[in-house]
Amino acid sequence: MRLRPRDLTTAYVRKPQQTVDDEGNIITGGWSDPIEIKMNVQSAGGQVNAQVWGKQLKYIKSCKYQGKVLNENESESWGVCLNVAKTDEPDYLINQIQTYSTHKNITLEKRDQNG
């Protein structure tokens, strides 16, 4: 499967920054530098997604991605700047990545669901 270039949207992924305090606790705060990626972004829908997400379905995006930046079991909880500038706080978080032979299905969840 090959994604058509005209259907791809530019997004910026940002890894959460982690530091260690003087007591050895891991503190998460801030985001790394943005990395540009291209992926096909759609609003999530369907009967299965409606049962899984319920009323939150309107805050979920379903994406298809071909590349090596995002990987299953590594990139979950990374931020994605989809509708905001790449220097702003990410407006979506990567919830799930499913790897297939030719592409990856990525589920994004909106960070601020009140606004």
Side-chain angles (χ1 to χ4, degrees):
M1 177 176 143
R2 188 182 316 209
L3 300 178
R4 291 193 287 182
R6 70 176 186 204
D7 294 338
L8 299 179
T9 302
T10 300
Y12 296 91
V13 293
R14 299 181 75 181
K15 185 177 180 179
Q17 294 281 23
Q18 293 185 340
T19 57
V20 179
D21 65 5
D22 55 350
E23 296 177 359
N25 298 319
I26 297 175
I27 301 171
T28 303
W31 300 94
S32 67
D33 294 330
I35 302 167
E36 180 179 329
I37 63 168
K38 300 238 182 222
M39 60 183 172
N40 182 316
V41 180
Q42 304 284 327
S43 294
Q47 189 173 12
V48 173
N49 279 332
Q51 289 179 350
V52 170
W53 294 102
K55 291 188 178 197
Q56 285 185 308
L57 185 60
K58 62 185 174 183
Y59 302 113
I60 306 300
K61 298 280 186 193
S62 178
C63 309
K64 294 196 184 313
Y65 169 70
Q66 289 177 319
K68 298 183 183 195
V69 174
L70 302 176
N71 296 306
E72 194 170 359
N73 299 325
E74 293 177 12
S75 305
E76 279 90 355
S77 299
W78 283 24
V80 178
C81 299
L82 194 59
N83 299 321
V84 296
K86 64 182 178 181
T87 55
D88 291 344
E89 291 277 314
D91 55 341
Y92 284 88
L93 289 177
I94 296 175
N95 184 284
Q96 176 181 356
I97 299 176
Q98 297 171 321
T99 303
Y100 292 91
S101 60
T102 59
H103 69 283
K104 296 172 185 159
N105 285 345
I106 299 173
T107 304
L108 302 179
E109 186 174 1
K110 191 160 180 66
R111 285 184 68 207
D112 180 20
Q113 296 181 2
N114 297 328

